[in-house]
Amino acid sequence: MKNVDVYKQYFSAECTFGGAERRGVVVWLNAESDSGNIRYEVGASFFPHRDDEDFAISYDACAVKELFNAKGRRSRKRDEQYLAQVRDVADEIAGSLNSVIHWDKPLREAQYG
């Protein structure tokens, strides 16, 4: 099984989960291929981000949504297709956790794999 972080980026956020305030979120698009099957998922994990150096991810305020799972293989075209959906899907995830992602306030540069 091969996992690839197609995209990952950290943003400022607003979230309260488990009685703890979360001020950061990591958003990702992951591709997983195995035995001729490809799967894409978008995820968001909210974390405390108490200061500029705090990127300790807590996985309790986390959710994932599968976008695609079928026979096939990873391609640049598929990556671009699902990358275009990341913000909308991550906003859905944030909404399900009563949270907000501040897309205009990145905490780190985007990483592409």
Side-chain angles (χ1 to χ4, degrees):
M1 184 178 329
K2 183 175 180 184
N3 286 304
V4 175
D5 285 329
V6 177
Y7 165 82
K8 181 166 73 170
Q9 190 167 10
Y10 295 79
F11 294 92
S12 174
E14 294 174 37
C15 176
T16 301
F17 191 87
E21 186 176 346
R22 317 298 171 101
R23 294 186 211 141
V25 62
V26 59
V27 175
W28 68 85
L29 171 65
N30 182 271
E32 179 182 290
S33 61
D34 187 33
S35 302
N37 199 56
I38 184 74
R39 178 177 175 270
Y40 283 87
E41 70 178 19
V42 171
S45 183
F46 293 85
F47 59 97
H49 193 60
R50 294 178 188 97
D51 59 51
D52 289 343
E53 302 298 318
D54 182 14
F55 288 90
I57 305 301
S58 52
Y59 291 98
D60 59 342
C62 178
V64 175
K65 182 174 180 181
E66 185 176 83
L67 300 181
F68 182 81
N69 189 350
K71 291 285 182 196
R73 57 182 227 198
R74 182 175 174 224
S75 69
R76 181 173 291 154
K77 183 178 177 181
R78 276 202 174 123
D79 284 0
E80 290 171 1
Q81 175 185 355
Y82 296 115
L83 191 55
Q85 298 177 37
V86 167
R87 285 191 180 200
D88 290 338
V89 174
D91 281 338
E92 281 180 39
I93 291 170
S96 74
L97 297 171
N98 297 317
S99 305
V100 175
I101 300 170
H102 298 291
W103 297 107
D104 59 334
K105 296 179 183 176
L107 300 175
R108 292 199 172 162
E109 294 295 317
Q111 300 171 325
Y112 296 93

